[in-house]
Amino acid sequence: MEIALIGNPNTGKTSLFNNLTGSYEYVGNWSGVTVEKKVGVFKNNIGRLIDLPGVYSLNPLSKDEGVVTSYFLEEKVDRLLNIIDASQLERNLHLTLQLLEYGKHSLIGLNMVDVAKMRGIQIDVEKLAKSLGVPVIPVVARSGKGCDVLVEVISDQSNQQNLKRLVYYGKEVEEAITKLTDMLAGKTDHLPRWLALQWFEGNQYVKQHLQEIIEAEKLESLTKELEEKLKLANNHFKSLANYIYSKRKEVIELIIENAVHKETKAVPLSERIDTIVTNRYLGMPIFLLFMYLMFMLTFDWLGSPLTDALDSFITGPITVVFESILNTVNASDFIHALVIEGLVTGVGGVLVFVPQIFILFFFISLLEDSGYMARVALVMDRIMEAVGLNGKAFIPMMIGFGCNVPGIMAARTIETPRERLLTILLTPLMSCSARLPVYALFVGAFFVGHKAFIVLSLYVLGMIVALILAKIFTATLLKSETSLFVIELPPYRLPQIQSLWRSTWDKGKGFVRKAGTFIFAGSVFIWLLSYSGPGGLEVAMDDSFLAAIGGFIAPMFEPIGFGTWQASASLITGFLAKEAVISTMNIIYFVPDEASLQGILAGYYSPLAAYSFMVFILLYIPCLATAATIYKETGSRKWTAFSLLYALAIAYVLCLVIYQGGKLFGLV
């Protein structure tokens, strides 16, 4: 049995999916989390549950919303599980009515009843179910309360429904629906009435479907005839879509009047908090303060001691164990050097930053699950609008702080193609977690007293560069009007420990996985290049193939502060994965007697050059996985190449200004 889980954004849909299937998908207390369908199997094995992207209507505005209509048109759907937010019942029911018109066996999960009660909203579940003609089951998706009842009801094969027609659209529309359903008789597997309504609403996916069945001229003629009749009958007629919406709204108002009782309550705490955190003047400083505290915890108060302890463990006991094993099996000098200088040093040099990565992800998950991230998008809307975007574009960028790949994919939630493309091009400028080990290494070596401030400056710099480029691109390459920004502010929630851990692990495991795959393979390859050269094997590092490759491009980096072959070689491997920069440096600068890599770097960089290097890491070409995702989402080699080249140019120019400007002020 195929059961589709569908609802508005931020109604707890993904949490419910996790509870019903026992799997774990990323949960965020903000819209745009699910950008493509996810499939799981019910715990009791009654069938498959398909988690569809959150939508407000079946008439898609954005790419991710189109996934829902495409699924309904092309895939087999046995039943619908519609989750609705009890505290936003009127808005949610617009989608519910469209789902009931689809004509499949349906069930409603009434979520967030607790939030509704806090707002003085009392819902009579029995009256609501009677009005809609389908079962309504109260649930708490976050905790799983009511999910067992939900499964029992949806599993009951005998509970077949004769869905009643809830909305009468008026004589003119009903006559047009009848005409179109007659044309469709025997030509489609879908309910003709639903197809007719979606056609008149302007659903582009349904239009393409119907034009394959019926001549486009006949369809357009019928639509035009209906519009003329409605204009004569209604002086306030605007459009068919608006007219159909108003008829549904009338029915929803009657349902609300019958099943919902509202009490007057004091202003909710969340609204009082919002007056501060979304304030025009205080919103941005508060956001930056949160970021600063997050970096202090990551790099100073918690992260540094844990990283130092792990580093001591890897360079001490772990290295001793590997050396003991190699000596026991009488490994050759080549194998010994490969394992110790290549793998342990290369991969271990990246793994030491795992504590800081997980700490950062924990606090990002905390902000997301609490509902604060949606407020950040609202605060940023005022700035984004000035550069030709809106606050919704900032959500993919925020996701990009974890990893640019899902950030770029999240741009599917943006309605207009121009703004979606622009967001895809700018998201790689956000500082992802893969860059974090590079920052940690350099701030620990050169900016010990100001670690959090320096890292914060890099994150802010990435955002500022993105905003400036957005203004330039919208005025030149991608001219268009900015779309309207509408966002729902979810209620503040006290994050659950289990949810926080799952979210943190989901984000951080990719870093660990890359250490065992990309970084492992890269470390072997880089070590081989450093171990061999034109003169044979076991050559001096400066005479290796790696030194030759790095030395070839090193002169171009001289004006920006790091014109050594070592820095150049590290940047090349950074295209595969930004973490590879660290593993490459650990191999290149490997000196067994030295206490740490940070101490060695002081002989190769000045503080100004170190900052310039970090800025270059922040902005220069996206990693291979990000570049592949850009191509997948845009379908264009031209825009993919542009994203690589412009980022490299911007990185070089900005680092040139920073380094040469710093020299002028005597900062070297």
Side-chain angles (χ1 to χ4, degrees):
M1 185 163 58
E2 299 285 316
I3 300 168
L5 175 59
I6 185 169
N8 284 186
N10 199 49
T11 52
K13 189 166 50 63
T14 305
S15 294
L16 183 62
F17 177 85
N18 292 338
N19 271 305
L20 294 177
T21 62
S23 62
Y24 175 72
E25 294 294 347
Y26 173 58
V27 177
N29 192 11
W30 52 344
S31 64
V33 173
T34 306
V35 294
E36 57 187 9
K37 66 181 182 183
K38 299 182 177 76
V39 181
V41 178
F42 276 90
K43 291 178 182 177
N44 62 354
N45 211 29
I46 63 170
R48 299 200 311 168
L49 184 64
I50 294 88
D51 181 21
L52 296 170
V55 293
Y56 294 104
S57 167
L58 292 183
N59 187 5
L61 294 175
S62 61
K63 192 175 179 181
D64 68 309
E65 290 180 349
V67 171
V68 177
T69 300
S70 295
Y71 178 80
F72 280 5
L73 288 171
E74 299 167 8
E75 304 288 339
K76 177 178 176 288
V77 187
D78 295 310
R79 300 189 177 190
L80 300 178
L81 174 52
N82 176 209
I83 183 168
I84 61 179
D85 179 356
S87 66
Q88 301 286 346
L89 194 59
E90 183 174 350
R91 188 202 64 211
N92 281 234
L93 286 177
H94 281 281
L95 176 63
T96 300
L97 292 184
Q98 294 179 67
L99 295 175
L100 295 177
E101 288 168 349
Y102 183 62
K104 294 292 183 180
H105 181 104
S106 300
L107 172 66
I108 291 175
L110 186 64
N111 192 27
M112 301 189 189
V113 180
D114 53 339
V115 176
K117 286 182 179 178
M118 287 173 57
R119 295 179 179 179
I121 302 171
Q122 299 290 335
I123 299 174
D124 189 320
V125 176
E126 290 185 5
K127 287 184 178 180
L128 180 62
K130 186 177 179 181
S131 297
L132 295 171
V134 295
V136 177
I137 310 299
V139 296
V140 180
R142 283 163 59 85
S143 65
K145 183 180 179 181
C147 288
D148 292 341
V149 179
L150 199 66
V151 172
E152 284 179 18
V153 175
I154 208 165
S155 304
D156 186 1
Q157 299 287 347
S158 64
N159 185 20
Q160 298 298 323
Q161 303 158 359
N162 294 315
L163 295 174
K164 59 183 181 180
R165 191 170 297 177
L166 293 174
V167 185
Y168 176 72
Y169 290 97
K171 178 183 175 183
E172 295 83 4
V173 175
E174 292 294 343
E175 287 178 352
I177 290 172
T178 301
K179 288 181 182 179
L180 187 46
T181 53
D182 289 342
M183 293 181 193
L184 291 168
K187 297 179 180 178
T188 178
D189 295 329
H190 301 289
L191 192 67
R193 180 178 176 84
W194 176 74
L195 289 173
L197 282 165
Q198 290 297 311
W199 166 271
F200 291 133
E201 281 191 86
N203 189 320
Q204 294 299 318
Y205 289 77
V206 171
K207 280 191 172 186
Q208 292 175 12
H209 177 74
L210 291 186
Q211 285 171 353
E212 295 173 0
I213 303 172
I214 302 172
E215 291 180 17
E217 291 181 3
K218 290 183 179 180
L219 292 167
E220 295 295 344
S221 175
L222 181 60
T223 304
K224 191 173 181 180
E225 180 185 341
L226 175 57
E227 288 176 337
E228 293 298 329
K229 287 181 179 180
L230 288 173
K231 285 177 183 177
L232 290 173
N234 188 344
N235 293 330
H236 302 291
F237 176 77
K238 295 180 180 179
S239 67
L240 263 176
N242 183 266
Y243 181 84
I244 291 171
Y245 174 86
S246 67
K247 289 296 181 182
R248 290 192 185 122
K249 186 177 180 182
E250 290 174 6
V251 172
I252 290 169
E253 287 172 351
L254 290 174
I255 293 172
I256 297 292
E257 184 180 344
N258 181 49
V260 179
H261 174 68
K262 294 183 180 179
E263 300 174 0
T264 304
K265 283 204 167 188
V267 178
L269 177 61
S270 62
E271 292 185 17
R272 282 179 276 163
I273 296 173
D274 283 343
T275 59
I276 300 173
V277 300
T278 63
N279 181 274
R280 177 183 294 273
Y281 304 106
L282 297 177
M284 184 55 66
I286 289 172
F287 171 56
L288 293 176
L289 177 62
F290 277 133
M291 294 283 283
Y292 179 76
L293 291 174
M294 188 166 66
F295 291 136
M296 284 295 293
L297 288 161
T298 302
F299 293 100
D300 278 306
W301 300 334
L302 293 177
S304 288
L306 292 174
T307 296
D308 291 343
L310 185 58
D311 186 30
S312 299
F313 181 67
I314 290 174
T315 57
I318 292 294
T319 302
V320 170
V321 167
F322 273 99
E323 287 183 335
S324 177
I325 293 171
L326 292 169
N327 291 332
T328 301
V329 299
N330 294 318
S332 65
D333 291 341
F334 175 81
I335 297 298
H336 187 280
L338 171 63
V339 173
I340 300 301
E341 299 176 18
L343 296 179
V344 175
T345 303
V347 178
V350 174
L351 288 177
V352 296
F353 298 103
V354 165
Q356 291 177 324
I357 295 292
F358 273 82
I359 290 169
L360 180 67
F361 280 152
F362 174 82
F363 287 107
I364 289 177
S365 298
L366 184 68
L367 294 178
E368 289 174 352
D369 206 36
S370 67
Y372 177 66
M373 283 300 194
R375 275 77 183 175
V376 175
L378 182 62
V379 169
M380 287 300 298
D381 178 57
R382 302 183 184 107
I383 300 173
M384 301 292 274
E385 187 178 1
V387 299
L389 288 169
N390 67 43
K392 186 175 281 191
F394 192 67
I395 292 175
M397 293 182 184
M398 288 294 292
I399 294 173
F401 285 156
C403 178
N404 292 160
V405 171
I408 290 168
M409 293 174 66
R412 296 174 186 175
T413 60
I414 298 171
E415 292 86 355
T416 62
R418 179 197 70 90
E419 291 187 11
R420 184 162 59 246
L421 174 59
L422 188 54
T423 304
I424 288 171
L425 294 176
L426 297 177
T427 297
L429 299 176
M430 300 300 105
S431 187
C432 66
S433 62
R435 298 167 169 102
L436 204 63
V438 182
Y439 303 159
L441 178 66
F442 278 83
V443 296
F446 298 96
F447 308 101
V448 178
H450 308 283
K451 293 179 184 178
F453 177 77
I454 293 297
V455 176
L456 177 62
S457 74
L458 293 167
Y459 276 74
V460 172
L461 180 62
M463 289 188 282
I464 291 173
V465 171
L467 293 174
I468 293 172
L469 289 175
K471 185 66 174 177
I472 295 171
F473 290 163
T474 53
T476 53
L477 296 175
L478 298 166
K479 291 183 180 179
S480 180
E481 292 184 7
T482 305
S483 62
L484 182 66
F485 173 56
V486 178
I487 189 171
E488 174 193 355
L489 295 181
Y492 288 103
R493 293 187 180 280
L494 188 65
Q496 297 176 320
I497 297 299
Q498 184 182 25
S499 176
L500 281 177
W501 162 244
R502 281 179 166 179
S503 181
T504 302
W505 172 248
D506 191 54
K507 293 183 179 80
K509 67 183 180 183
F511 181 84
V512 178
R513 189 186 296 120
K514 271 200 277 187
T517 54
F518 268 106
I519 309 305
F520 182 90
S523 295
V524 172
F525 180 68
I526 292 300
W527 180 82
L528 287 173
L529 288 178
S530 68
Y531 188 77
S532 60
L537 298 176
E538 206 172 354
V539 299
M541 186 74 73
D542 290 336
D543 298 325
S544 66
F545 286 123
L546 187 62
I549 295 169
F552 179 73
I553 61 172
M556 69 176 289
F557 296 116
E558 187 70 41
I560 59 177
F562 41 90
T564 63
W565 72 261
Q566 292 93 336
S568 303
S570 301
L571 292 171
I572 293 172
T573 59
F575 175 62
L576 297 175
K578 292 296 185 286
E579 301 97 327
V581 172
I582 295 298
S583 61
T584 303
M585 285 189 165
N586 273 282
I587 293 169
I588 289 174
Y589 297 113
F590 179 77
V591 180
D593 296 332
E594 290 288 346
S596 70
L597 176 59
Q598 291 176 336
I600 300 171
L601 289 176
Y604 290 85
Y605 296 84
S606 66
L608 179 61
Y611 190 77
S612 177
F613 186 81
M614 287 190 289
V615 171
F616 198 80
I617 290 292
L618 165 69
L619 299 175
Y620 91 119
I621 55 176
C623 70
L624 185 60
T626 301
T629 306
I630 292 172
Y631 177 69
K632 178 185 175 184
E633 295 298 309
T634 62
S636 169
R637 290 189 179 90
K638 180 187 75 172
W639 286 117
T640 304
F642 177 76
S643 69
L644 299 177
L645 294 175
Y646 96 78
L648 184 60
I650 290 295
Y652 192 88
V653 170
L654 188 57
C655 288
L656 186 67
V657 171
I658 289 171
Y659 186 71
Q660 295 299 331
K663 285 177 67 176
L664 287 175
F665 287 98
L667 297 178
V668 176

